[in-house]
Amino acid sequence: MTTATAISDQPLDSATPRLLVATKVTKAFEGLVANRDIDFDIPLHSIVAIIGPNGAGKTTFFNQLSGVFHPTTGQITFDGTDITDMAPNKVAALGVARTYQNIRLFQNMSVLDNVLVGRHVRMHGQFYGAIARLGGIRREEAEAKETAMGLLDLVGLRRTQGGEMAKNLPYGDQRRLEVARALASDPKLLLLDEPTAGMNPGETRQMTEFIGRLRRDLQLTILLIEHDMKVVMGVSERISVLDYGEKIAEGTPAEIRANPRVIEAYLGKQSAAE
């Protein structure tokens, strides 16, 4: 049994500080309500999952946490700062990084340069300094490259792949590269949108174990959207369930697995027999 599985059914301590808190979040698009009155929080150093059927509003909610969308009503705070109407780059600078359901790499850039893009938010050199190749700029660039190489090691890519075009990587490695790019910004909160989508069973198992290691080794807080219930049940400490834009349940994997409303809305009645 992996460490991630061993911790998944233990309830989170209610005294643990909350890194992110969403209060009564509603998002409407010209009358179509994608999220309605969602209360949600993420305890520090936890792994939390959001599940729900297609069209439940999961990615819309994710987009509000990262600043891509802004709530119509409600409030979102991160590490004590109100980010409700904050731009994505400012949210990222505070320590929120994400991956995407559909891979969004810079396909015609090298593997290393893709990671360095994620590092940019932590670099302080000015435009004129880069042109003049000042010593401080060169040192910062060298440090950023070494950090990026270390992240390739961390996610299971080879340093020798750093010069390859991102588009030439196998699908599973492109997923890993996207995680490396997100980690390059030194996040406190990592948002993973369907991290195992399109992976074969072996790649899925490796990614599940990797998510657990990220929290353990880097002391990250992780929120994921995932349709693969083995992944969700294996790695998550708490699961929130959305249906038609509303939160219908929340609890440990064991509680969610046994919740009749969740079985009806998402897992399917057949799961009860299983």
Side-chain angles (χ1 to χ4, degrees):
M1 180 179 293
T2 66
T3 302
T5 303
I7 63 173
S8 62
D9 280 334
Q10 297 179 9
L12 292 168
D13 187 346
S14 60
T16 301
R18 268 44 186 171
L19 182 62
L20 182 142
V21 178
T23 306
K24 300 297 180 186
V25 168
T26 294
K27 181 61 180 177
F29 297 95
E30 298 182 353
L32 174 64
V33 179
N35 295 140
R36 186 188 302 275
D37 290 333
I38 296 179
D39 290 321
F40 177 81
D41 63 67
I42 308 175
L44 186 65
H45 299 154
S46 65
I47 301 178
V48 174
I50 296 176
I51 66 172
N54 290 331
K58 304 182 297 297
T59 296
T60 298
F61 188 62
F62 237 48
N63 285 336
Q64 292 171 91
L65 302 185
S66 59
V68 175
F69 294 157
H70 297 149
T72 304
T73 60
Q75 184 182 48
I76 303 170
T77 61
F78 173 73
D79 202 18
T81 299
D82 188 342
I83 64 169
T84 307
D85 297 313
M86 193 173 287
N89 62 307
K90 294 184 177 180
V91 175
L94 285 176
V96 179
R98 69 170 296 179
T99 64
Y100 294 86
Q101 178 180 354
N102 299 313
I103 294 174
R104 295 188 184 181
L105 296 172
F106 297 98
Q107 296 288 343
N108 292 315
M109 289 171 56
S110 72
V111 168
L112 181 62
D113 284 342
N114 266 273
V115 181
L116 288 172
V117 167
R119 190 65 187 167
H120 179 74
V121 72
R122 299 296 173 218
M123 298 177 73
H124 306 290
Q126 300 298 317
F127 177 70
Y128 63 84
I131 293 176
R133 303 299 296 161
L134 299 179
I137 295 292
R138 293 198 301 270
R139 285 193 297 274
E140 187 176 48
E141 288 179 350
E143 291 169 358
K145 287 182 179 179
E146 186 55 37
T147 297
M149 285 295 189
L151 288 170
L152 295 183
D153 292 336
L154 178 67
V155 302
L157 297 174
R158 301 185 307 277
R159 292 190 175 213
T160 55
Q161 293 175 288
E164 295 183 25
M165 293 295 102
K167 65 184 178 182
N168 294 331
L169 292 179
Y171 182 86
D173 284 351
Q174 290 193 31
R175 282 281 179 193
R176 290 177 178 275
L177 176 56
E178 196 172 41
V179 173
R181 184 179 62 186
L183 293 176
S185 67
D186 286 339
K188 300 174 184 176
L189 173 63
L190 180 61
L191 309 178
L192 301 174
D193 194 348
E194 298 195 28
T196 68
M199 289 186 171
N200 62 43
E203 291 171 334
T204 296
R205 183 176 60 256
Q206 291 173 0
M207 180 60 77
T208 303
E209 294 172 352
F210 176 61
I211 292 170
R213 289 202 310 273
L214 283 178
R215 191 278 297 276
R216 184 177 66 250
D217 296 345
L218 301 184
Q219 293 297 295
L220 284 176
T221 303
I222 298 173
L223 173 64
L224 68 149
I225 293 173
E226 182 56 64
H227 281 292
D228 189 323
M229 296 311 297
K230 288 184 179 179
V231 175
V232 171
M233 296 297 176
V235 78
S236 307
E237 295 162 301
R238 194 186 71 199
I239 301 170
S240 296
V241 187
L242 300 186
D243 191 27
Y244 292 106
E246 298 183 6
K247 187 174 77 173
I248 63 169
E250 188 170 77
T252 66
E255 291 168 342
I256 294 301
R257 192 181 294 116
N259 187 301
R261 192 172 179 187
V262 175
I263 294 171
E264 178 70 24
Y266 182 68
L267 299 178
K269 293 182 179 180
Q270 185 177 359
S271 296
E274 294 174 354

